[in-house]
Amino acid sequence: MSARDIVTKRIYEPAADDDGDRVLIMRLWPRGIRKERVSVWLKELGPVPTLLREFLDDKISWEQYVPRYLAGLERREAQAAIVELRRRAQDGRVTLLCGCADEQHCHRSLLRAYLLDSPRARPRSPRAAPAHHRARGRRA
């Protein structure tokens, strides 16, 4: 699986001919999106509700969110969804979709890095993480 096989996009962006399988990775179905705009819905790859709520409410930073999201991918249900996602990626391009406006602070970028075994998907030690407070309104 290469970086060209897995791409990310906001669900509200128009579909493109080269999107391949469009995989929604949100726990809740996004408003205004028709079912035919998505190939498959793998909601277990979205952040667990308590984690997402803590992040959106600024109770945890992005640096705290990242290792907790990645740890959530080890759950049995998430691993089953990852198997499905990898199978689809073997057949062609997969586009990971969610509603987050900020690509840099979104689980879709973390999931892509995880699937590509990128260093970005390896949790850093809490002491090594720089202090950072994200701007209000960013979504995970």
Side-chain angles (χ1 to χ4, degrees):
M1 183 175 342
S2 76
R4 289 187 311 246
D5 297 328
I6 300 184
V7 295
T8 65
K9 187 182 268 191
R10 192 164 188 236
I11 185 67
Y12 300 106
E13 293 177 35
D17 291 338
D18 66 347
D19 280 351
D21 275 343
R22 294 173 49 87
V23 181
L24 183 64
I25 57 168
M26 295 172 59
R27 294 242 169 214
L28 300 175
W29 191 268
R31 286 187 194 180
I33 300 298
R34 297 195 332 224
K35 303 275 185 201
E36 52 272 7
R37 293 211 34 213
V38 172
S39 304
V40 65
W41 182 20
L42 299 177
K43 60 183 156 186
E44 288 299 327
L45 297 178
V48 295
T50 54
L51 176 61
L52 182 58
R53 182 54 32 217
E54 287 177 353
F55 181 65
L56 295 177
D57 289 345
D58 284 329
K59 292 180 180 174
I60 63 171
S61 69
W62 177 249
E63 286 76 17
Q64 293 168 310
Y65 174 89
V66 170
R68 289 176 60 187
Y69 172 76
L70 294 172
L73 293 178
E74 299 305 317
R75 292 175 300 106
R76 184 179 61 233
E77 301 87 355
Q79 284 297 304
I82 287 170
V83 167
E84 170 70 9
L85 194 53
R86 288 185 192 278
R87 185 191 63 72
R88 287 174 177 269
Q90 288 175 346
D91 294 337
R93 176 172 275 185
V94 168
T95 300
L96 303 175
L97 303 165
C98 81
C100 307
D102 182 358
E103 170 81 21
Q104 296 304 310
H105 294 94
C106 176
H107 69 280
R108 71 181 180 258
S109 62
L110 295 175
L111 179 58
R112 180 178 184 271
Y114 176 91
L115 292 166
L116 297 173
D117 195 31
S118 164
R120 180 168 185 208
R122 293 188 197 107
R124 294 181 290 177
S125 125
R127 286 175 279 201
H132 171 76
H133 185 75
R134 62 183 184 78
R136 277 218 134 331
R138 287 190 183 156
R139 300 262 166 190

